[in-house]
């Protein structure tokens, strides 16, 4: 599967999940996504755990709000009905399952390319040259910033200005950490753009590398998976109506 | 419009959005601060308003996509909110750019402008993000404002109205803080870097 196919598959599944209105429809779409996960032999448990870790707290929170506090579903409020907690529970189930399908599909598509380097992945995307370059630069700078965060945080913890855990001191001195990181990164970027990149001809080399990594936009396998996603979305709609 | 130095500025601000989310997570602060890079990008490119809107939006959008892959898969849904923040930052917050860099710091005008820009950004962002919060999350996003939504729902308000009202009650506070941090970072940015972004003679990307 190509990265473009994975993006298209993910978008189709997400559209399907947004159009599906009931639990049955969403389960059909989740099944299509699970088929992709199994076939791509990615770490399916990791994807399930990640998605559950995001959606379970929301499920708990929504249950407290809708079932516990409000006690009726939005359509019942709109119609001015007295409503029931069971309708509110169904509303929570649909919303959470939809969010789970989206999170799971995004993570599965992401993990499918876990063995690829970011440069290889971006190079294979059907995007304009400038967009690819921008993505590579952003990823490179994220690494730079995260390293600067690590160094500055360690130094500030050593100086007793911030702590490892939640504290008032963090709230008071968090700004120093942000400012330190920003100034560090600006200095690095100025050095790179003014001296390092022109000497090493980095941007021209990057363009060459990205052009060399361009592959077919969509493969036959991609179309197969996209057809499955479309079928799942259509079935999801059917069970709704 | 997208010269190489501006591409670098966009990438830097996108990375900043991503990293500040990381810092907030690391030092366990009870706030979001996910648009500082977007606002800062608009300030850095400001005199050219169209470029400021485009570059700030791209920075916010890239950060949302990358954060979506790693931390929060629902962030890219708020792309329209990112666009709204970029527009307000380029058209309104940018007007205060000169005050933000004046030395010594003019305390009253500085904070007055930060508060006005933050409040307007917060109001716009609350209104634009409400439909996504209603449709995708059913009104409950897991943030502290959810209990405000629950309160309005309990009083018989419709879902969309409740989400908008809760957003109007909470978003402006977060955005005032974000504009303040963006203004302080802008103030701390070396003149050399701002000149590099503004220079018209740079080669196109």
């Amino acid at each position: 599967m190509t990265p473009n196919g994975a993006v298209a598959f993910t978008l189709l599944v997400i559209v399907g999940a947004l159009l599906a209105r009931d639990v049955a429809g969403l389960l059909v779409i989740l099944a299509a996504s699970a088929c992709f996960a199994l076939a791509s032999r990615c770490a399916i448990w990791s994807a399930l755990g990640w998605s559950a870790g995001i959606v379970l707290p929301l499920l708990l929170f929504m249950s407290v709000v809708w079932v516990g506090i409000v006690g009726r579903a939005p359509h019942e409020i709109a119609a001015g009905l007295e409503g029931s907690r069971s309708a509110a529970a169904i509303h929570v189930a649909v919303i959470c399952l939809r969010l789970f399908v989206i999170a799971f599909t995004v993570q599965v598509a992401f993990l499918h390319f876990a063995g690829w380097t970011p440069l290889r992945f971006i190079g294979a995307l059907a995007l304009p040259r400038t967009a690819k370059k921008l993505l590579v630069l952003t990823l490179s700078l994220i690494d730079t910033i995260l390293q600067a965060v690590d160094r500055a945080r360690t130094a500030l913890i050593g100086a007793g200005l911030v702590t490892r855990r939640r504290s008032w001191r963090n709230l008071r001195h968090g700004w120093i950490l942000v400012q330190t990181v920003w100034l560090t990164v600006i200095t690095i970027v100025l050095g790179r753009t003014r001296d390092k990149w022109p000497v090493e001809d980095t941007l021209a080399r990057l363009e060459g590398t990205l052009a060399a990594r361009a592959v077919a936009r969509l493969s036959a396998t991609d179309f197969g998976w996209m057809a499955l996603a479309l079928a799942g979305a259509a079935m999801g709609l059917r069970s709704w109506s | 419009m997208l010269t190489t130095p501006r591409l670098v500025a966009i990438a830097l601000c996108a990375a900043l959005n991503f990293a500040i989310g990381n810092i907030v997570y690391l030092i366990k602060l009870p706030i979001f601060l996910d648009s500082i890079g977007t606002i800062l990008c608009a300030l850095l490119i400001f005199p050219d308003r169209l470029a400021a809107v485009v570059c700030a939006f791209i920075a916010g959008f890239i950060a949302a996509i990358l954060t979506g892959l790693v931390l929060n898969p629902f962030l890219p849904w708020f792309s329209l909110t990112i666009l709204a923040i970029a527009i307000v930052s380029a058209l309104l917050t940018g007007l205060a750019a000169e005050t933000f860099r004046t030395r010594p710091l003019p305390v009253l005008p500085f904070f007055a402008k930060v508060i006005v820009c933050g409040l307007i950004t917060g109001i716009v962002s609350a209104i634009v993000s409400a439909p996504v919060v209603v449709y995708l999350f059913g009104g409950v996003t897991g943030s502290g404002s959810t209990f405000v939504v629950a309160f309005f729902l309990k009083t018989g308000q419709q879902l969309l109205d409740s989400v908008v009202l809760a957003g109007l009650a909470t978003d402006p506070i977060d955005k005032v803080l974000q504009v303040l941090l963006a203004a302080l970072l802008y103030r701390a940015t070396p003149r050399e870097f701002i000149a590099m972004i503004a220079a018209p003679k740079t080669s196109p990307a």
Side-chain angles (χ1 to χ4, degrees), chain B residues 171-193:
Chain B
D171 262 23
I173 301 167
D174 184 51
K175 294 298 179 289
V176 166
L177 201 57
Q178 298 204 38
V179 171
L180 174 66
L181 288 173
L184 290 172
L185 286 179
Y186 179 62
R187 190 176 167 76
T189 305
R191 194 177 298 275
E192 195 183 351
F193 185 74

Side-chain angles (χ1 to χ4, degrees), chain B residues 19 25-26 28 41 60 78 84 91-92 95 104 112 116 118 121 124 143-144 152-153 158-159 165 167 169 174 184 197:
Chain B
Y25 178 76
L26 268 177
K28 321 250 182 325
C41 190
F78 292 95
L91 299 184
L92 179 76
L95 294 173
V116 169
T121 311
V124 171
S143 66
F152 285 121
L153 284 171
Q158 295 294 318
L159 182 56
L165 288 171
D174 184 51
L184 290 172
I197 295 167

Side-chain angles (χ1 to χ4, degrees), chain A residues 25-215:
Chain A
L26 285 164
L27 285 174
V28 171
I29 295 164
L30 180 61
S33 192
C35 285
F36 174 68
L38 288 170
S40 68
R41 296 195 193 103
C42 69
I44 190 167
W45 292 112
S46 163
L48 281 171
W50 188 78
S51 317
I54 287 170
V55 177
L56 281 179
L58 275 172
L59 174 66
L60 195 71
F61 217 59
M62 285 187 195
S63 302
V64 169
V65 171
W66 283 111
V67 184
I69 300 175
V70 180
R72 52 185 180 156
H75 64 270
E76 292 170 331
I77 297 174
L81 300 171
E82 193 178 335
S84 66
R85 290 189 193 280
S86 60
I90 291 171
H91 170 71
V92 170
V94 169
I95 295 283
C96 286
L97 190 54
R98 180 181 294 143
L99 293 177
F100 184 81
V101 170
I102 293 173
F104 179 71
T105 310
V106 168
Q107 190 63 8
V108 161
F110 182 62
L111 289 176
H112 183 79
F113 298 96
W116 288 36
T117 63
L119 192 62
R120 184 179 167 201
F121 183 85
I122 293 168
L125 283 174
L127 285 175
R129 196 185 52 167
T130 308
K132 288 184 186 183
K133 212 158 77 172
L134 196 51
L135 279 172
V136 173
L137 287 178
T138 306
L139 288 176
S140 159
L141 286 172
I142 283 176
D143 264 353
T144 309
I145 287 189
L146 291 181
Q147 282 169 16
V149 170
D150 262 355
R151 283 198 299 268
R153 181 170 173 256
T154 309
L156 293 180
I157 288 172
L161 286 174
V162 297
T163 60
R164 287 188 191 280
R165 300 190 175 183
R166 193 191 297 253
S167 69
W168 280 110
R169 217 186 297 173
N170 287 353
L171 211 55
R172 268 172 43 218
H173 300 302
W175 161 246
I176 299 175
L177 179 57
V178 175
Q179 197 181 22
T180 310
V181 169
W182 177 246
L183 288 176
T184 308
V185 175
I186 285 280
T187 310
I188 293 172
V189 165
L190 273 172
R192 279 185 195 172
T193 48
R194 201 178 43 196
D195 305 318
K196 191 170 184 283
W197 288 354
V199 168
E200 294 177 354
D201 203 13
T202 306
L203 293 177
R205 281 166 185 254
L206 176 62
E207 277 190 25
T209 308
L210 288 173
R213 287 179 192 279
V215 292

Side-chain angles (χ1 to χ4, degrees), chain B residues 20-154:
Chain B
I20 288 185
N22 209 290
I23 293 177
V24 168
Y25 178 76
L26 268 177
I27 58 179
K28 321 250 182 325
L29 297 179
I31 37 182
F32 297 116
L33 305 184
D34 52 0
S35 304
I36 295 175
T38 313
I39 299 167
L40 182 59
C41 190
L43 283 172
L44 288 171
I45 301 177
F46 170 64
D48 186 348
R49 287 198 173 102
L50 180 63
V53 172
V54 172
C55 295
F57 172 68
I58 295 174
F61 184 68
I62 289 179
I65 293 288
L66 294 176
T67 310
L69 287 175
V70 183
L71 289 174
N72 179 358
F74 312 119
L75 209 57
W77 290 96
F78 292 95
S79 298
L80 270 182
T81 311
I82 295 169
L83 179 62
I85 292 173
I87 291 172
V88 174
S89 303
L91 299 184
L92 179 76
T93 313
L95 294 173
E98 209 177 310
T99 311
F100 291 161
R101 283 188 74 83
T102 305
R103 286 173 200 279
L105 179 75
V107 179
L108 204 62
F110 182 92
F111 284 103
K113 285 179 180 176
V114 162
I115 289 170
V116 169
C117 296
L119 287 177
I120 293 173
T121 311
I123 290 167
V124 171
S125 122
I127 292 168
V128 175
S129 58
V132 179
V133 173
V134 168
Y135 189 75
L136 190 66
F137 294 94
V140 177
T141 56
S143 66
S145 65
T146 296
F147 289 107
V148 186
V149 176
F151 168 77
F152 285 121
L153 284 171
K154 196 71 185 162

